[in-house]
Amino acid sequence: MRSSSNTPGNKNDAQSFFERATSAVERAVVDHNATLVLLQELFLGPYFCQSQDAALFSLAEITDDNPFLIAMRDLARRLQVVLPISMFERKNNVYYNSVVMIDADGSVLGTYS
């Protein structure tokens, strides 16, 4: 998982965003019996899509064997919840604001790029 900041302990790093998202999904399932939880767009960091800045391209992730997506698949499987996951994706030399649909059994239903 990439960090949106190199400062250790910074509340804007990807790990902190991931932990908050995981907690929100768990609360939605436990408190409200949610079967589908939609997190905000590109939730692993501050939203940056209002402008195109080449320096931000380094934040793009590859979907294959991505540790973040593997963790989200495990979460979906454990909680039996569907998770549409927004991510900044890189495929070859092209960048996408993608959504990966994770089913309640942890399988990937598809990716919208």
Side-chain angles (χ1 to χ4, degrees):
M1 203 175 319
R2 295 182 192 222
S3 175
S4 58
S5 172
N6 292 330
T7 308
N10 184 329
K11 291 191 182 224
N12 284 329
D13 69 84
Q15 185 62 39
S16 293
F17 279 102
F18 175 76
E19 289 168 3
R20 287 186 290 223
T22 300
S23 177
V25 171
E26 290 171 341
R27 282 192 319 272
V29 171
V30 171
D31 296 348
H32 304 287
N33 295 318
T35 57
L36 181 144
V37 178
L38 179 62
L39 297 166
Q40 78 180 41
E41 184 178 17
L42 301 176
F43 64 88
L44 281 183
Y47 189 78
F48 58 88
C49 291
Q50 289 98 344
S51 63
Q52 287 189 353
D53 181 352
L56 296 172
F57 289 153
S58 66
L59 297 175
E61 303 274 357
I62 298 172
T63 56
D64 297 338
D65 298 321
N66 181 299
F68 154 68
L69 285 178
I70 292 169
M72 295 308 283
R73 292 177 67 188
D74 290 343
L75 179 67
R77 184 181 309 109
R78 179 170 57 87
L79 298 175
Q80 293 294 290
V81 63
V82 176
L83 297 174
I85 300 298
S86 172
M87 65 180 289
F88 186 39
E89 179 186 16
R90 176 173 52 93
K91 281 186 187 175
N92 301 317
N93 292 326
V94 181
Y95 297 87
Y96 301 96
N97 184 355
S98 300
V99 175
V100 179
M101 285 297 298
I102 301 174
D103 203 359
D105 64 0
S107 64
V108 173
L109 296 173
T111 300
Y112 175 80
S113 300

